[in-house]
Each structure stands twice: as structure tokens, then as C-alpha cells.
Amino acid sequence: MINDEFYMSLAIKKAWEFQILTYPNPAVGCAVLDAGGRLLSVATHKKAGFLHAEPSAILLALCQKCEAFLSNFLREYHAALGVKFENAAELENADLEPNFTYEYILQNHGDMLKGAKAYVTLEPCAHRGKTPPCAELLRQLKFAEVVIARGDENAVASGGAHILQSGGVAVKFDVLRQQADDLVEPFLAWQRGNFSFFKLALSANGVAVGTAQSKIISNLASRTHSHRLRSAAELLVIGGATVRADRPRLDTRLIEGGKNPNVMIYSRECEFDASILLFGVAGRSVRVTSDINEAFAPRLTMFEGGENALKTLDERVKWLLLYRSSELLDAPAVRLNLKLKPLFHGELDGDVYGWYKFERDLG
Amino acid sequence: MINDEFYMSLAIKKAWEFQILTYPNPAVGCAVLDAGGRLLSVATHKKAGFLHAEPSAILLALCQKCEAFLSNFLREYHAALGVKFENAAELENADLEPNFTYEYILQNHGDMLKGAKAYVTLEPCAHRGKTPPCAELLRQLKFAEVVIARGDENAVASGGAHILQSGGVAVKFDVLRQQADDLVEPFLAWQRGNFSFFKLALSANGVAVGTAQSKIISNLASRTHSHRLRSAAELLVIGGATVRADRPRLDTRLIEGGKNPNVMIYSRECEFDASILLFGVAGRSVRVTSDINEAFAPRLTMFEGGENALKTLDERVKWLLLYRSSELLDAPAVRLNLKLKPLFHGELDGDVYGWYKFERDLG
């Protein structure tokens, strides 16, 4: 069925591709249909400080509607900010400066989205932070309806629906609400204190890095994705045994401009071979501690490790990110009993990855 | 980008959901957009003898366009065939009788799809087999354009593009051609002789059925899907050791009206405990043989088994279907070296399944 749920699911899937990477902002997706019901764009917020999901989708929608709008925007963006994109595809993948783009849309939309419909996974923001308010933009462009998967309880950003309704925009709530709740769970958690997840990379038959002959299990796309997550995290936690056995670098060399996260080595013994690569990475602090509580002091913590780390994992670690390659290996797989609730599955160049919630009470 | 590739990928994904199940027909998907570019439907051929992908998508598109068309069709279908559906969602999931539906569309479309656009994963058929020709329907409804992922080399069914073009319908070929080639590979293979695939169900960490304490690894949705595949297959092949160890039933009890496939037990020893469940299933023949060539005599063969069967698998078995649950188990996983090329990943109520091509020459 091509209905509200169909379009919202496009927005939700798109947002999941940037889950965690938007820290400290929530992952948000948006789809825009014109007044005739033609799908124009599906976009997502990609990185804090850059364009939100709604103006991203609106920009792409205007470019889809009108070639002249696209070529003018590319030229003006280049002139104003010195960054050149060749086409709409490059625009779609770019982290766009929010203020210029927002104003450009406001000045040049030419009522092309009058009567349009937007699907947003989270209530559009009402406040002027690093970026101007999304609800205001939707109102000024005269959208007919905005479908919202869940309201925003964030006291600072909320009120978007009110702005829309007071401007005559119809608002519908709670389409795919449960899925939108899952999507926003990390954001709610790090706002209250801390969100922690565990990253595990396995072969198709469950063999972990370090167990197989090769140290590499995942493909380049999966490893690049995990480097993006490291760059977003405030702290990377790893067990002392893994550090000694794998001698990892734990950096973000696969991405441009990545931040190498601070590392906490969870260990009772403080002596480590200083030539282990992670100690030589610039711009980070490494702390060895046997107090697991320190892992939960920052707002976003990423855990890495294998079977033993998983077996003794603190229950404050809420989600598992599982990468799976397309290869079976002749080596022992990880062994433990663990039930998971699947939240999202995606593909990375043939590898599969999944976000799961730990279901510790079951089994 | 919302472009031809986007809509074709919707059609391709939909078709993969019924891969193999359409035997002896190919898996085909179709998406329909109205003249204004509004997406109206995405549909697939589900089962041989029932409605093809194109009339399925056209029917759903007309229902989406016009509520009166939907209610009239539901009433007339009930009157003519005695089968009652309550709404469009039930219609979407139904196996529809092709001739009545085709004629109903021809008589009642009211030019609502004039100027519309269709995306089809395989060239629309041109011949009147169990169902009337799809190309003719698209032409008579005055579609403006049909985008085709790959031409049909089947001498009987081909010629659809010619019918379309001679009726003034624009035809575009080869959008997502490689993906469409993968999709149609089983169909091409069983037309030439035989297509064989191997089914394997693993826990999230690679533990196979029979290894764990429980005999059940996959969830109900995955097991139901595998029963549908068994029902489609001409022959189910399983090793003698697996039969002795697991004592399986190998039937299709989870689906309604399923056909219990004939079983070939690949074994040098002919003695089996007759109380093993598979011998007691009605309507099937069971043959024990040590000649693996017999497995490839029928047109569609499904292999089941575990690690040992995979290790010694005949290279005429082309694809692997891998179900993976959302649970890690404390038991040994399957162990062997095997490279796979991923073709499609889908979800079944939280389990993930993937179709892979064996890449035997690598590694």
C-alpha cells in the first residue's frame, strides 16, 4: 500500500543510515511530496551543525522540481561558500551549511512546494539553534500537511507542530510511532545522561575479528562506517585482554577529518606495551581503569570487543551494532547466549549490519 | 535521488520477496506512477497461474486512484468468483485469478492510467498463456512509458516491447540491468535444465539447527517462508547423516495447501529408521541414492543441511539462502571457508535472510 506509512518508512530508513552520527542531535529523516502527490525527495540530517532533515529534503525537492533552481543554487552556493557541487547527487551526499541554504530556500522557493506534504520522523524544531527553525520553513513554504511520526519532548526544540498549525498547515501525529521511538532512543538517552552501544564484527558464520587468521572481517564500507561512529563517540571502551591480544589502533583513518576518540581500557592491570598502536594516535587521551562507571560519564560511549566483553557487558550498554560479512570462515565463532530485538538492518556494499536492542530479561 | 533507478529498485525488492515461489515463472516486480508522477503501486507476481506483476500493479494503482473502482472490483470479484476481500490491503496480499481481473481492468480502467509510467523488472510478456499478455494491457490503458530492467529472451513470451512501441508507448531498457539479471537467474537456469539452491538456517552467531539444544533456530516467519520454498521445489535433497541425526519431517505444514516435495536422501547406506518423520508424510516419494546427478534431473531442486553438506556441495548448486535469527547461542557454529556474493537481503519478523551466489573460485 502506498500510504502515509509507506512514505514515513522511507524517511525512517533514511534516518537510520545516520544513526548515532548526528550526535548530539537526533537522527531524523524527511520525505517531501508535491501537491500532486509526487515523491520529490527523501533526506536525512547527517551531522550536527549542518542542515537538518527538513530543509535538506526541501532543497532536494526544489531541485527535483526545477532544473533552473538546482543550477542557480549550485552556482550561488559556490559563490557564497567556495564549495562546488556538480549535480543533485553530489548535493544529496554533502554536509550543507545550514544558514545560507535555509535563506536561499526562503528567497527562491517560488511557491513550488505550496500544497506539498512532508513526512518527518520527529516533530520539526521550533527554535533557532545552530540552524533556523524547520517548522517555520515548512510554514512559510505553505506546505499543506506535515505528517510526524513522534512529537519532540525536548523542551528547547518543541513547539513545531504549534507553529505549523497556527500557519494553517495540517499536522498528523504518530504514523509509525513505535519505529520512530526506537530511532530516537539514543538521543533521549544521551540527553538524560549517557547512551552506550557495543560494536561487534562477525563473519557470516559468527567468527569475530582476532579469532580468524586475518584481523579483518568486515569490508571497507563497514569499517568506514565504524570509523564514523568512533569519530562521533565521546569515548571508546575496550577490554585490556583485547588490547593485548589484538594490539588495535582504534583510530578513524578511513574517514576524512575524523576525530580519534578518547579510549578507556577496562583492566585491572595497568601495564601495557607502549608500542600498541592505539597509544600512538595523536589527539586522544588513553586511560586505564578498573572502574566501569567511568565508561558512562560521557554522553555517548562506544564499546568494542568480542565474546568475553559481551559476556560480562554492563547492563547500561543498551544496543548492539552487528556487522556481518559475506564470508564463512573455518574458525570458532563467538559463543554465548544472548537475545536481541532487531531495530534496523542495512547493507554496506554486501556486508549486512544490524542495530539491536539487548533483551537481557529473556531466555 | 528520486529517479528511474529509485522506482525500479522498489519493483526489484518486491520481486525478490517471491523469488523461487513463482516457479516455473520468473520473479517479476512492477511499480506504477500516474501521469503526474505520483507512485500508485508496487506489486509482484506471486505464484504461477495467478495474476502477473503488471496487472497486479495496475489493479492496485486503479484502486489507489479511485475508491469507487476498488469497491466495485471487490463486489464484482466476489460475485464472479465467490472470493471476498474486505479492502485494498487484502487485495494486495491475495493470489488473484488472472482472466477475470484482466478483463475487469480492460473494461473499467476509465483512462485513469492514461499517460502513466510503469517500471517492470522483466520485459512484459507478449503471449497469451495461462494469463493474457501484459504488454497488451499496458498499451490499451495508454501508458506513456514503460521502463524495463531487462529484455526477455524467452522465445515464447518476448516481443512485449514491440507491442508497446507499436502502440506509441515509450520504452526504456536496462535500468538496474545487473540487479534484474540476478533476479531472473533461477528462471533462466530452470528453463535450460535445473536450478538448485541450498537453504541454511543459523543463529546470529552461526549456530545451525541440530547443533544447539533446540531444534528450532529461525522464527515462525522464516520457517513459513522455507515451507513455501519446499512447496515450490520439485525435489528436496538432504544428506543421510542429517536425516539420521535430525530425524526431520521436511513437510510444508506451516502453509495452507502446500505440496510436500519429493525427497532424495543422498546416502550410500539405504537403511533408515522408518519411523523418521519424513517417511510418514503423505503425497510424496522418498528415494535414497548415492548418485548425486539425480538431484539435478528435476528443474527446481532445494538442498537442506548443515556444515558437512555445505563442505561437499556439488558445484551445480548455485545459490545459498541463509536465514539468520536475532539470537546468539552458546554452541559451536558451522565451520568452513566459503565466499558468497550477496544478491538480496530481506527481513522476516526480525530474522534476516539473504540470497547469495556461491563464489567458489575465490579464496
Side-chain angles (χ1 to χ4, degrees):
Chain A
M1 294 285 292
I2 311 304
N3 51 17
D4 283 346
E5 285 71 19
F6 174 84
Y7 290 112
M8 189 62 84
S9 77
L10 294 181
I12 287 179
K13 276 180 200 153
K14 199 75 176 174
W16 270 105
E17 293 176 18
F18 289 81
Q19 180 61 277
I20 303 297
L21 304 176
T22 58
Y23 172 81
N25 291 343
V28 181
C30 178
V32 169
L33 276 60
D34 72 10
R38 175 181 156 215
L39 177 66
L40 296 174
S41 61
V42 186
T44 176
H45 181 49
K46 299 196 195 78
K47 204 172 175 178
F50 293 92
L51 205 59
H52 279 190
E54 300 91 327
S56 297
I58 286 170
L59 179 74
L60 294 174
L62 292 166
C63 292
Q64 179 86 359
K65 239 349 207 189
C66 174
E67 277 184 38
F69 182 95
L70 168 63
S71 54
N72 290 340
F73 177 78
L74 294 178
R75 190 185 61 243
E76 297 298 324
Y77 193 91
H78 183 212
L81 297 157
V83 182
K84 198 171 180 184
F85 305 110
E86 296 296 332
N87 50 46
E90 287 189 9
L91 208 57
E92 190 166 350
N93 293 319
D95 292 326
L96 292 174
E97 193 287 323
N99 291 294
F100 172 84
T101 307
Y102 190 99
E103 285 303 323
Y104 190 91
I105 292 170
L106 267 188
Q107 301 301 322
N108 297 279
H109 63 85
D111 274 345
M112 282 188 286
L113 294 179
K114 192 174 168 183
K117 193 166 179 176
Y119 293 83
V120 198
T121 60
L122 188 66
E123 186 176 347
C125 67
H127 78 306
R128 184 169 287 271
K130 283 182 187 161
T131 62
C134 295
E136 190 56 34
L137 189 66
L138 290 158
R139 192 181 68 79
Q140 292 217 22
L141 266 64
K142 305 191 185 77
F143 272 70
E145 185 175 4
V146 176
V147 181
I148 297 170
R150 63 162 281 148
D152 189 352
E153 293 145 5
N154 179 349
V156 180
S158 69
H162 181 73
I163 289 178
L164 291 169
Q165 285 161 330
S166 70
V169 182
V171 175
K172 181 177 175 180
F173 274 105
D174 292 343
V175 170
L176 299 188
R177 169 67 190 254
Q178 180 56 54
Q179 293 185 35
D181 286 351
D182 289 338
L183 179 66
V184 86
E185 187 180 315
F187 171 71
L188 297 180
W190 65 54
Q191 284 208 311
R192 284 190 304 259
N194 170 272
F195 180 77
S196 291
F197 67 97
F198 188 96
K199 182 218 107 175
L200 181 65
L202 299 178
S203 74
N205 60 329
V207 179
V209 176
T211 323
Q213 303 88 326
S214 157
K215 280 203 163 191
I216 291 175
I217 297 260
S218 301
N219 68 14
L220 183 62
S222 292
R223 285 179 285 131
T224 303
H225 182 255
S226 75
H227 283 206
R228 288 211 176 86
L229 290 167
R230 284 179 182 166
S231 181
E234 302 266 9
L235 182 67
L236 196 60
V237 178
I238 189 159
T242 306
V243 171
R244 289 191 180 90
D246 292 359
R247 304 175 64 84
R249 203 185 311 183
L250 299 177
D251 64 358
T252 57
R253 64 194 175 279
L254 293 175
I255 60 170
E256 227 178 298
K259 178 202 79 192
N260 293 309
N262 292 335
V263 171
M264 167 180 150
I265 300 176
Y266 180 48
S267 172
R268 259 169 294 188
E269 293 173 48
C270 292
E271 293 293 313
F272 284 88
D273 176 353
S275 71
I276 290 173
L277 293 167
L278 74 90
F279 295 105
V281 173
R284 79 146 43 119
S285 75
V286 180
R287 178 165 167 72
V288 183
T289 175
S290 62
D291 179 7
I292 193 65
N293 292 310
E294 292 189 25
F296 305 100
R299 291 205 286 161
L300 176 59
T301 311
M302 177 168 173
F303 285 70
E304 300 198 28
E307 178 179 318
N308 290 326
L310 262 180
K311 274 182 179 160
T312 57
L313 201 60
D314 191 283
E315 65 179 16
R316 285 169 285 185
V317 184
K318 298 299 183 193
W319 284 12
L320 174 69
L321 169 61
L322 186 50
Y323 295 99
R324 276 182 284 208
S325 76
S326 292
E327 208 169 345
L328 285 85
L329 296 174
D330 188 4
V334 298
R335 281 185 66 161
L336 70 157
N337 282 314
L338 188 60
K339 286 213 187 213
L340 304 165
K341 181 195 163 194
L343 300 172
F344 174 76
H345 286 109
E347 284 186 55
L348 288 162
D349 259 4
D351 279 10
V352 189
Y353 72 104
W355 287 103
Y356 296 88
K357 199 180 286 201
F358 289 110
E359 295 214 326
R360 293 187 174 85
D361 298 331
L362 297 174
Chain B
M1 296 285 292
I2 311 304
N3 50 20
D4 283 346
E5 285 73 17
F6 173 84
Y7 289 113
M8 190 61 83
S9 77
L10 294 181
I12 287 178
K13 276 180 201 153
K14 199 75 177 172
W16 270 104
E17 294 176 19
F18 289 81
Q19 180 62 275
I20 304 298
L21 304 177
T22 58
Y23 173 80
N25 291 343
V28 181
C30 178
V32 169
L33 276 60
D34 72 10
R38 177 181 156 215
L39 178 65
L40 296 174
S41 61
V42 186
T44 178
H45 180 49
K46 298 196 196 80
K47 204 171 177 180
F50 294 91
L51 204 58
H52 279 190
E54 300 92 327
S56 297
I58 286 170
L59 179 74
L60 294 174
L62 293 166
C63 292
Q64 178 86 358
K65 244 338 209 196
C66 175
E67 277 182 41
F69 182 95
L70 169 64
S71 53
N72 290 340
F73 177 78
L74 294 178
R75 190 186 58 242
E76 296 298 323
Y77 193 90
H78 183 210
L81 297 156
V83 182
K84 197 170 181 184
F85 306 109
E86 295 296 333
N87 51 44
E90 287 189 8
L91 208 55
E92 190 165 352
N93 293 319
D95 293 326
L96 292 173
E97 192 286 323
N99 292 294
F100 172 85
T101 306
Y102 191 98
E103 286 302 324
Y104 190 90
I105 292 171
L106 268 187
Q107 302 301 324
N108 297 279
H109 63 84
D111 274 346
M112 282 189 285
L113 293 180
K114 191 176 170 183
K117 193 166 177 177
Y119 294 84
V120 198
T121 61
L122 187 65
E123 185 176 346
C125 67
H127 76 306
R128 183 169 287 272
K130 283 183 189 163
T131 62
C134 294
E136 190 56 34
L137 188 66
L138 290 158
R139 190 180 71 77
Q140 293 217 22
L141 266 65
K142 305 192 186 75
F143 272 69
E145 186 176 3
V146 176
V147 181
I148 296 170
R150 65 162 279 149
D152 189 353
E153 295 146 4
N154 180 346
V156 180
S158 69
H162 181 71
I163 290 178
L164 292 168
Q165 285 162 330
S166 69
V169 182
V171 175
K172 182 177 175 182
F173 273 105
D174 290 343
V175 170
L176 299 187
R177 169 66 190 254
Q178 179 58 54
Q179 294 183 35
D181 286 351
D182 290 338
L183 179 65
V184 84
E185 188 180 314
F187 170 71
L188 298 180
W190 65 55
Q191 285 210 310
R192 284 190 304 258
N194 169 273
F195 180 77
S196 290
F197 67 98
F198 188 96
K199 182 218 107 176
L200 181 66
L202 299 177
S203 75
N205 61 328
V207 179
V209 176
T211 323
Q213 303 87 326
S214 158
K215 280 204 163 189
I216 291 175
I217 296 261
S218 301
N219 68 14
L220 182 63
S222 292
R223 284 178 284 131
T224 303
H225 182 255
S226 75
H227 283 206
R228 287 210 177 87
L229 290 167
R230 284 179 182 166
S231 181
E234 303 265 10
L235 181 68
L236 197 59
V237 178
I238 190 158
T242 305
V243 170
R244 288 191 181 89
D246 292 359
R247 305 175 62 85
R249 202 184 314 182
L250 299 177
D251 66 359
T252 56
R253 64 193 175 280
L254 293 175
I255 60 171
E256 228 179 298
K259 176 202 79 192
N260 293 310
N262 293 335
V263 171
M264 165 179 152
I265 300 176
Y266 181 48
S267 172
R268 258 167 298 187
E269 292 172 50
C270 291
E271 293 292 314
F272 285 87
D273 176 353
S275 71
I276 292 174
L277 293 167
L278 75 89
F279 295 104
V281 173
R284 78 147 42 120
S285 76
V286 180
R287 178 166 165 73
V288 183
T289 174
S290 62
D291 179 8
I292 192 65
N293 292 310
E294 292 189 24
F296 305 99
R299 291 205 288 160
L300 176 59
T301 311
M302 177 169 174
F303 284 70
E304 300 199 28
E307 179 179 318
N308 290 327
L310 262 180
K311 274 181 179 161
T312 56
L313 202 60
D314 191 283
E315 64 178 14
R316 286 169 284 185
V317 183
K318 297 299 183 194
W319 284 12
L320 175 69
L321 169 60
L322 186 51
Y323 296 98
R324 276 182 286 208
S325 77
S326 292
E327 208 169 344
L328 285 85
L329 297 174
D330 189 4
V334 298
R335 281 184 67 161
L336 70 157
N337 282 313
L338 190 59
K339 287 215 185 214
L340 304 166
K341 181 193 162 196
L343 300 172
F344 175 75
H345 286 110
E347 284 185 54
L348 288 161
D349 258 4
D351 279 11
V352 190
Y353 71 103
W355 287 102
Y356 297 88
K357 198 180 287 201
F358 289 110
E359 296 214 326
R360 295 189 173 84
D361 299 331
L362 299 173

